[in-house]
mmCIF file of all heavy atoms in Angstrom:
data_model
loop_
_atom_site.group_PDB
_atom_site.id
_atom_site.type_symbol
_atom_site.label_atom_id
_atom_site.label_comp_id
_atom_site.label_asym_id
_atom_site.label_seq_id
_atom_site.Cartn_x
_atom_site.Cartn_y
_atom_site.Cartn_z
ATOM 1 N N ILE A 1 212.711 26.059 143.255
ATOM 2 C CA ILE A 1 213.642 25.817 142.169
ATOM 3 C C ILE A 1 213.410 24.406 141.646
ATOM 4 O O ILE A 1 213.539 23.437 142.389
ATOM 5 C CB ILE A 1 215.102 25.976 142.617
ATOM 6 C CG1 ILE A 1 215.361 27.394 143.117
ATOM 7 C CG2 ILE A 1 216.054 25.631 141.472
ATOM 8 C CD1 ILE A 1 216.745 27.598 143.690
ATOM 9 N N ASN A 2 213.050 24.294 140.400
ATOM 10 C CA ASN A 2 212.772 22.995 139.802
ATOM 11 C C ASN A 2 214.040 22.301 139.324
ATOM 12 O O ASN A 2 214.157 21.073 139.419
ATOM 13 C CB ASN A 2 211.789 23.132 138.641
ATOM 14 C CG ASN A 2 210.467 23.719 139.060
ATOM 15 O OD1 ASN A 2 210.149 24.864 138.722
ATOM 16 N ND2 ASN A 2 209.684 22.953 139.807
ATOM 17 N N ALA A 3 214.961 23.071 138.809
ATOM 18 C CA ALA A 3 216.194 22.508 138.293
ATOM 19 C C ALA A 3 217.243 23.603 138.196
ATOM 20 O O ALA A 3 216.924 24.790 138.098
ATOM 21 C CB ALA A 3 215.983 21.854 136.925
ATOM 22 N N MET A 4 218.476 23.193 138.221
ATOM 23 C CA MET A 4 219.584 24.115 138.042
ATOM 24 C C MET A 4 220.620 23.458 137.138
ATOM 25 O O MET A 4 220.701 22.229 137.063
ATOM 26 C CB MET A 4 220.226 24.499 139.372
ATOM 27 C CG MET A 4 219.320 25.267 140.315
ATOM 28 S SD MET A 4 220.156 25.774 141.849
ATOM 29 C CE MET A 4 221.333 26.972 141.199
ATOM 30 N N GLY A 5 221.390 24.279 136.488
ATOM 31 C CA GLY A 5 222.407 23.737 135.613
ATOM 32 C C GLY A 5 223.508 24.731 135.329
ATOM 33 O O GLY A 5 223.343 25.942 135.500
ATOM 34 N N TRP A 6 224.620 24.197 134.925
ATOM 35 C CA TRP A 6 225.738 24.996 134.448
ATOM 36 C C TRP A 6 225.836 24.840 132.933
ATOM 37 O O TRP A 6 225.842 23.711 132.418
ATOM 38 C CB TRP A 6 227.050 24.582 135.104
ATOM 39 C CG TRP A 6 227.277 25.200 136.454
ATOM 40 C CD1 TRP A 6 227.092 24.632 137.665
ATOM 41 C CD2 TRP A 6 227.747 26.528 136.691
ATOM 42 N NE1 TRP A 6 227.417 25.519 138.665
ATOM 43 C CE2 TRP A 6 227.820 26.693 138.094
ATOM 44 C CE3 TRP A 6 228.120 27.595 135.869
ATOM 45 C CZ2 TRP A 6 228.246 27.886 138.685
ATOM 46 C CZ3 TRP A 6 228.538 28.776 136.466
ATOM 47 C CH2 TRP A 6 228.594 28.914 137.846
ATOM 48 N N TYR A 7 225.895 25.950 132.250
ATOM 49 C CA TYR A 7 226.038 25.992 130.807
ATOM 50 C C TYR A 7 227.342 26.697 130.466
ATOM 51 O O TYR A 7 227.921 27.400 131.293
ATOM 52 C CB TYR A 7 224.877 26.743 130.164
ATOM 53 C CG TYR A 7 223.511 26.135 130.406
ATOM 54 C CD1 TYR A 7 222.887 26.221 131.647
ATOM 55 C CD2 TYR A 7 222.830 25.486 129.376
ATOM 56 C CE1 TYR A 7 221.640 25.677 131.868
ATOM 57 C CE2 TYR A 7 221.573 24.939 129.580
ATOM 58 C CZ TYR A 7 220.980 25.043 130.829
ATOM 59 O OH TYR A 7 219.732 24.505 131.039
ATOM 60 N N ARG A 8 227.773 26.510 129.244
ATOM 61 C CA ARG A 8 228.950 27.237 128.797
ATOM 62 C C ARG A 8 228.808 27.579 127.319
ATOM 63 O O ARG A 8 228.120 26.904 126.567
ATOM 64 C CB ARG A 8 230.235 26.448 129.043
ATOM 65 C CG ARG A 8 230.408 25.203 128.177
ATOM 66 C CD ARG A 8 231.672 24.464 128.582
ATOM 67 N NE ARG A 8 231.909 23.287 127.766
ATOM 68 C CZ ARG A 8 232.881 22.414 127.982
ATOM 69 N NH1 ARG A 8 233.720 22.596 129.012
ATOM 70 N NH2 ARG A 8 233.032 21.361 127.187
ATOM 71 N N GLN A 9 229.484 28.636 126.943
ATOM 72 C CA GLN A 9 229.473 29.075 125.567
ATOM 73 C C GLN A 9 230.869 29.551 125.190
ATOM 74 O O GLN A 9 231.384 30.512 125.761
ATOM 75 C CB GLN A 9 228.459 30.192 125.344
ATOM 76 C CG GLN A 9 228.289 30.591 123.893
ATOM 77 C CD GLN A 9 227.085 31.497 123.680
ATOM 78 O OE1 GLN A 9 226.587 32.120 124.615
ATOM 79 N NE2 GLN A 9 226.613 31.559 122.454
ATOM 80 N N ALA A 10 231.456 28.854 124.256
ATOM 81 C CA ALA A 10 232.769 29.218 123.741
ATOM 82 C C ALA A 10 232.592 30.110 122.522
ATOM 83 O O ALA A 10 231.539 30.107 121.871
ATOM 84 C CB ALA A 10 233.562 27.964 123.387
ATOM 85 N N PRO A 11 233.605 30.895 122.184
ATOM 86 C CA PRO A 11 233.507 31.764 121.016
ATOM 87 C C PRO A 11 233.158 30.984 119.753
ATOM 88 O O PRO A 11 233.782 29.970 119.440
ATOM 89 C CB PRO A 11 234.909 32.380 120.922
ATOM 90 C CG PRO A 11 235.427 32.350 122.317
ATOM 91 C CD PRO A 11 234.877 31.077 122.897
ATOM 92 N N GLY A 12 232.148 31.456 119.048
ATOM 93 C CA GLY A 12 231.719 30.805 117.825
ATOM 94 C C GLY A 12 230.916 29.542 118.030
ATOM 95 O O GLY A 12 230.576 28.873 117.052
ATOM 96 N N LYS A 13 230.609 29.225 119.269
ATOM 97 C CA LYS A 13 229.867 28.016 119.569
ATOM 98 C C LYS A 13 228.537 28.358 120.216
ATOM 99 O O LYS A 13 228.347 29.447 120.748
ATOM 100 C CB LYS A 13 230.665 27.097 120.495
ATOM 101 C CG LYS A 13 232.036 26.710 119.982
ATOM 102 C CD LYS A 13 231.944 25.845 118.738
ATOM 103 C CE LYS A 13 233.324 25.410 118.282
ATOM 104 N NZ LYS A 13 233.252 24.576 117.054
ATOM 105 N N GLU A 14 227.636 27.419 120.148
ATOM 106 C CA GLU A 14 226.351 27.582 120.790
ATOM 107 C C GLU A 14 226.469 27.287 122.274
ATOM 108 O O GLU A 14 227.368 26.584 122.717
ATOM 109 C CB GLU A 14 225.297 26.661 120.150
ATOM 110 C CG GLU A 14 225.559 25.170 120.377
ATOM 111 C CD GLU A 14 226.661 24.607 119.506
ATOM 112 O OE1 GLU A 14 226.988 25.251 118.486
ATOM 113 O OE2 GLU A 14 227.192 23.534 119.833
ATOM 114 N N ARG A 15 225.555 27.848 123.035
ATOM 115 C CA ARG A 15 225.541 27.563 124.455
ATOM 116 C C ARG A 15 225.108 26.116 124.676
ATOM 117 O O ARG A 15 224.132 25.650 124.093
ATOM 118 C CB ARG A 15 224.601 28.521 125.189
ATOM 119 C CG ARG A 15 224.593 28.345 126.703
ATOM 120 C CD ARG A 15 223.757 29.421 127.396
ATOM 121 N NE ARG A 15 224.294 30.758 127.158
ATOM 122 C CZ ARG A 15 223.826 31.861 127.735
ATOM 123 N NH1 ARG A 15 222.816 31.786 128.585
ATOM 124 N NH2 ARG A 15 224.365 33.039 127.454
ATOM 125 N N GLU A 16 225.835 25.433 125.510
ATOM 126 C CA GLU A 16 225.556 24.034 125.758
ATOM 127 C C GLU A 16 225.442 23.766 127.249
ATOM 128 O O GLU A 16 226.076 24.430 128.073
ATOM 129 C CB GLU A 16 226.644 23.139 125.153
ATOM 130 C CG GLU A 16 228.023 23.340 125.770
ATOM 131 C CD GLU A 16 229.054 22.359 125.251
ATOM 132 O OE1 GLU A 16 228.668 21.367 124.592
ATOM 133 O OE2 GLU A 16 230.260 22.579 125.497
ATOM 134 N N LEU A 17 224.653 22.782 127.553
ATOM 135 C CA LEU A 17 224.513 22.354 128.938
ATOM 136 C C LEU A 17 225.706 21.502 129.317
ATOM 137 O O LEU A 17 226.008 20.497 128.667
ATOM 138 C CB LEU A 17 223.214 21.571 129.121
ATOM 139 C CG LEU A 17 222.975 20.975 130.507
ATOM 140 C CD1 LEU A 17 222.808 22.079 131.545
ATOM 141 C CD2 LEU A 17 221.753 20.060 130.490
ATOM 142 N N VAL A 18 226.377 21.898 130.370
ATOM 143 C CA VAL A 18 227.517 21.146 130.876
ATOM 144 C C VAL A 18 227.057 20.096 131.876
ATOM 145 O O VAL A 18 227.420 18.920 131.787
ATOM 146 C CB VAL A 18 228.558 22.074 131.520
ATOM 147 C CG1 VAL A 18 229.733 21.276 132.073
ATOM 148 C CG2 VAL A 18 229.038 23.107 130.504
ATOM 149 N N ALA A 19 226.280 20.516 132.828
ATOM 150 C CA ALA A 19 225.771 19.615 133.852
ATOM 151 C C ALA A 19 224.532 20.224 134.474
ATOM 152 O O ALA A 19 224.444 21.445 134.624
ATOM 153 C CB ALA A 19 226.824 19.329 134.929
ATOM 154 N N GLY A 20 223.593 19.384 134.818
ATOM 155 C CA GLY A 20 222.363 19.867 135.397
ATOM 156 C C GLY A 20 221.885 18.972 136.518
ATOM 157 O O GLY A 20 222.281 17.805 136.623
ATOM 158 N N SER A 21 221.031 19.537 137.333
ATOM 159 C CA SER A 21 220.470 18.814 138.468
ATOM 160 C C SER A 21 218.992 19.132 138.571
ATOM 161 O O SER A 21 218.598 20.302 138.572
ATOM 162 C CB SER A 21 221.190 19.191 139.761
ATOM 163 O OG SER A 21 220.586 18.567 140.882
ATOM 164 N N SER A 22 218.197 18.096 138.653
ATOM 165 C CA SER A 22 216.756 18.234 138.807
ATOM 166 C C SER A 22 216.298 17.218 139.836
ATOM 167 O O SER A 22 216.350 16.009 139.587
ATOM 168 C CB SER A 22 216.029 18.018 137.479
ATOM 169 O OG SER A 22 214.628 18.095 137.640
ATOM 170 N N GLY A 23 215.875 17.715 140.971
ATOM 171 C CA GLY A 23 215.528 16.814 142.050
ATOM 172 C C GLY A 23 216.746 16.031 142.495
ATOM 173 O O GLY A 23 217.800 16.597 142.779
ATOM 174 N N ILE A 24 216.603 14.724 142.527
ATOM 175 C CA ILE A 24 217.734 13.873 142.871
ATOM 176 C C ILE A 24 218.502 13.408 141.649
ATOM 177 O O ILE A 24 219.508 12.691 141.781
ATOM 178 C CB ILE A 24 217.280 12.649 143.690
ATOM 179 C CG1 ILE A 24 216.351 11.765 142.860
ATOM 180 C CG2 ILE A 24 216.602 13.082 144.980
ATOM 181 C CD1 ILE A 24 216.006 10.443 143.522
ATOM 182 N N LEU A 25 218.035 13.805 140.474
ATOM 183 C CA LEU A 25 218.678 13.389 139.241
ATOM 184 C C LEU A 25 219.689 14.429 138.790
ATOM 185 O O LEU A 25 219.492 15.629 138.968
ATOM 186 C CB LEU A 25 217.644 13.169 138.139
ATOM 187 C CG LEU A 25 216.553 12.146 138.431
ATOM 188 C CD1 LEU A 25 215.564 12.085 137.276
ATOM 189 C CD2 LEU A 25 217.157 10.778 138.692
ATOM 190 N N SER A 26 220.741 13.957 138.193
ATOM 191 C CA SER A 26 221.741 14.841 137.644
ATOM 192 C C SER A 26 222.345 14.206 136.406
ATOM 193 O O SER A 26 222.306 12.985 136.237
ATOM 194 C CB SER A 26 222.834 15.158 138.671
ATOM 195 O OG SER A 26 223.547 13.988 139.035
ATOM 196 N N HIS A 27 222.883 15.031 135.551
ATOM 197 C CA HIS A 27 223.535 14.518 134.362
ATOM 198 C C HIS A 27 224.695 15.432 133.994
ATOM 199 O O HIS A 27 224.698 16.612 134.322
ATOM 200 C CB HIS A 27 222.552 14.394 133.191
ATOM 201 C CG HIS A 27 221.924 15.699 132.788
ATOM 202 N ND1 HIS A 27 220.776 16.186 133.380
ATOM 203 C CD2 HIS A 27 222.281 16.615 131.850
ATOM 204 C CE1 HIS A 27 220.452 17.338 132.827
ATOM 205 N NE2 HIS A 27 221.347 17.621 131.893
ATOM 206 N N VAL A 28 225.640 14.848 133.336
ATOM 207 C CA VAL A 28 226.838 15.556 132.929
ATOM 208 C C VAL A 28 227.064 15.294 131.448
ATOM 209 O O VAL A 28 226.901 14.165 130.980
ATOM 210 C CB VAL A 28 228.066 15.110 133.753
ATOM 211 C CG1 VAL A 28 229.310 15.864 133.320
ATOM 212 C CG2 VAL A 28 227.818 15.326 135.241
ATOM 213 N N ALA A 29 227.426 16.325 130.727
ATOM 214 C CA ALA A 29 227.671 16.188 129.305
ATOM 215 C C ALA A 29 228.825 15.227 129.048
ATOM 216 O O ALA A 29 229.762 15.116 129.847
ATOM 217 C CB ALA A 29 227.968 17.547 128.679
ATOM 218 N N ASP A 30 228.743 14.535 127.921
ATOM 219 C CA ASP A 30 229.772 13.564 127.583
ATOM 220 C C ASP A 30 231.158 14.191 127.501
ATOM 221 O O ASP A 30 232.158 13.547 127.836
ATOM 222 C CB ASP A 30 229.444 12.883 126.257
ATOM 223 C CG ASP A 30 228.251 11.958 126.351
ATOM 224 O OD1 ASP A 30 227.920 11.515 127.474
ATOM 225 O OD2 ASP A 30 227.640 11.667 125.303
ATOM 226 N N SER A 31 231.213 15.439 127.072
ATOM 227 C CA SER A 31 232.492 16.093 126.893
ATOM 228 C C SER A 31 233.243 16.325 128.201
ATOM 229 O O SER A 31 234.461 16.518 128.192
ATOM 230 C CB SER A 31 232.310 17.429 126.163
ATOM 231 O OG SER A 31 231.449 18.288 126.892
ATOM 232 N N VAL A 32 232.519 16.318 129.302
ATOM 233 C CA VAL A 32 233.153 16.568 130.592
ATOM 234 C C VAL A 32 232.952 15.421 131.567
ATOM 235 O O VAL A 32 233.421 15.492 132.715
ATOM 236 C CB VAL A 32 232.641 17.878 131.226
ATOM 237 C CG1 VAL A 32 232.894 19.055 130.298
ATOM 238 C CG2 VAL A 32 231.156 17.775 131.559
ATOM 239 N N LYS A 33 232.277 14.396 131.128
ATOM 240 C CA LYS A 33 232.005 13.261 132.002
ATOM 241 C C LYS A 33 233.307 12.622 132.470
ATOM 242 O O LYS A 33 234.224 12.395 131.684
ATOM 243 C CB LYS A 33 231.147 12.231 131.280
ATOM 244 C CG LYS A 33 230.570 11.157 132.190
ATOM 245 C CD LYS A 33 229.627 10.248 131.427
ATOM 246 C CE LYS A 33 228.976 9.225 132.330
ATOM 247 N NZ LYS A 33 228.079 9.870 133.332
ATOM 248 N N GLY A 34 233.359 12.333 133.751
ATOM 249 C CA GLY A 34 234.562 11.789 134.344
ATOM 250 C C GLY A 34 235.525 12.841 134.831
ATOM 251 O O GLY A 34 236.475 12.511 135.562
ATOM 252 N N ARG A 35 235.310 14.081 134.446
ATOM 253 C CA ARG A 35 236.169 15.175 134.868
ATOM 254 C C ARG A 35 235.432 16.199 135.722
ATOM 255 O O ARG A 35 235.996 16.725 136.679
ATOM 256 C CB ARG A 35 236.783 15.880 133.660
ATOM 257 C CG ARG A 35 237.631 14.973 132.781
ATOM 258 C CD ARG A 35 238.340 15.758 131.679
ATOM 259 N NE ARG A 35 237.402 16.403 130.764
ATOM 260 C CZ ARG A 35 237.298 17.719 130.601
ATOM 261 N NH1 ARG A 35 238.072 18.541 131.301
ATOM 262 N NH2 ARG A 35 236.432 18.218 129.731
ATOM 263 N N PHE A 36 234.195 16.476 135.358
ATOM 264 C CA PHE A 36 233.405 17.458 136.076
ATOM 265 C C PHE A 36 232.372 16.765 136.946
ATOM 266 O O PHE A 36 231.807 15.733 136.565
ATOM 267 C CB PHE A 36 232.676 18.404 135.111
ATOM 268 C CG PHE A 36 233.570 19.343 134.349
ATOM 269 C CD1 PHE A 36 234.952 19.221 134.378
ATOM 270 C CD2 PHE A 36 233.013 20.356 133.590
ATOM 271 C CE1 PHE A 36 235.770 20.082 133.673
ATOM 272 C CE2 PHE A 36 233.813 21.231 132.879
ATOM 273 C CZ PHE A 36 235.198 21.093 132.919
ATOM 274 N N THR A 37 232.111 17.350 138.075
ATOM 275 C CA THR A 37 231.114 16.836 138.997
ATOM 276 C C THR A 37 230.216 17.973 139.447
ATOM 277 O O THR A 37 230.696 19.054 139.774
ATOM 278 C CB THR A 37 231.760 16.175 140.230
ATOM 279 O OG1 THR A 37 232.624 15.115 139.815
ATOM 280 C CG2 THR A 37 230.682 15.602 141.148
ATOM 281 N N ILE A 38 228.928 17.721 139.441
ATOM 282 C CA ILE A 38 227.976 18.732 139.865
ATOM 283 C C ILE A 38 227.387 18.330 141.202
ATOM 284 O O ILE A 38 227.154 17.144 141.478
ATOM 285 C CB ILE A 38 226.874 18.928 138.806
ATOM 286 C CG1 ILE A 38 226.079 20.207 139.082
ATOM 287 C CG2 ILE A 38 225.954 17.722 138.729
ATOM 288 C CD1 ILE A 38 225.190 20.617 137.924
ATOM 289 N N SER A 39 227.163 19.305 142.038
ATOM 290 C CA SER A 39 226.561 19.057 143.337
ATOM 291 C C SER A 39 225.592 20.187 143.649
ATOM 292 O O SER A 39 225.890 21.358 143.406
ATOM 293 C CB SER A 39 227.618 18.925 144.436
ATOM 294 O OG SER A 39 228.402 20.101 144.538
ATOM 295 N N ARG A 40 224.456 19.817 144.174
ATOM 296 C CA ARG A 40 223.412 20.783 144.475
ATOM 297 C C ARG A 40 223.030 20.686 145.932
ATOM 298 O O ARG A 40 222.816 19.598 146.460
ATOM 299 C CB ARG A 40 222.196 20.540 143.577
ATOM 300 C CG ARG A 40 221.017 21.464 143.818
ATOM 301 C CD ARG A 40 219.879 21.111 142.886
ATOM 302 N NE ARG A 40 218.673 21.886 143.156
ATOM 303 C CZ ARG A 40 217.519 21.707 142.539
ATOM 304 N NH1 ARG A 40 217.413 20.773 141.592
ATOM 305 N NH2 ARG A 40 216.475 22.455 142.854
ATOM 306 N N ASP A 41 222.926 21.832 146.550
ATOM 307 C CA ASP A 41 222.467 21.928 147.920
ATOM 308 C C ASP A 41 221.112 22.614 147.880
ATOM 309 O O ASP A 41 221.026 23.835 147.739
ATOM 310 C CB ASP A 41 223.457 22.703 148.792
ATOM 311 C CG ASP A 41 223.107 22.648 150.257
ATOM 312 O OD1 ASP A 41 221.923 22.566 150.609
ATOM 313 O OD2 ASP A 41 224.049 22.695 151.088
ATOM 314 N N ASN A 42 220.066 21.830 147.991
ATOM 315 C CA ASN A 42 218.723 22.383 147.896
ATOM 316 C C ASN A 42 218.386 23.306 149.060
ATOM 317 O O ASN A 42 217.617 24.255 148.901
ATOM 318 C CB ASN A 42 217.700 21.251 147.824
ATOM 319 C CG ASN A 42 217.796 20.462 146.539
ATOM 320 O OD1 ASN A 42 217.952 21.018 145.457
ATOM 321 N ND2 ASN A 42 217.688 19.140 146.650
ATOM 322 N N ALA A 43 218.944 23.014 150.213
ATOM 323 C CA ALA A 43 218.655 23.826 151.380
ATOM 324 C C ALA A 43 219.247 25.219 151.256
ATOM 325 O O ALA A 43 218.642 26.201 151.700
ATOM 326 C CB ALA A 43 219.164 23.143 152.645
ATOM 327 N N GLN A 44 220.422 25.299 150.669
ATOM 328 C CA GLN A 44 221.096 26.584 150.528
ATOM 329 C C GLN A 44 220.955 27.183 149.137
ATOM 330 O O GLN A 44 221.497 28.259 148.875
ATOM 331 C CB GLN A 44 222.577 26.437 150.889
ATOM 332 C CG GLN A 44 222.821 26.020 152.329
ATOM 333 C CD GLN A 44 224.293 25.999 152.694
ATOM 334 O OE1 GLN A 44 225.160 26.263 151.860
ATOM 335 N NE2 GLN A 44 224.570 25.693 153.943
#
């Protein structure tokens, strides 16, 4: 697995990346920053 992410799509809206993880790097969309946290368990 090279990367994983959570996306969301609201009615009438395009699908957007909420948060993603690639290796040890992760990022969170500005709209949810400070509220959402992403965590990845590579082993599981």
Side-chain angles (χ1 to χ4, degrees):
I1 299 175
N2 300 109
M4 296 183 67
W6 277 101
Y7 299 73
R8 69 184 182 186
Q9 186 169 20
K13 304 294 183 181
E14 67 284 341
R15 184 174 298 186
E16 64 175 347
L17 176 65
V18 179
S21 176
S22 177
I24 64 172
L25 302 177
S26 64
H27 60 273
V28 180
D30 290 338
S31 59
V32 302
K33 192 175 184 65
R35 300 186 298 117
F36 291 9
T37 302
I38 194 167
S39 59
R40 178 181 175 184
D41 188 329
N42 292 317
Q44 298 185 358

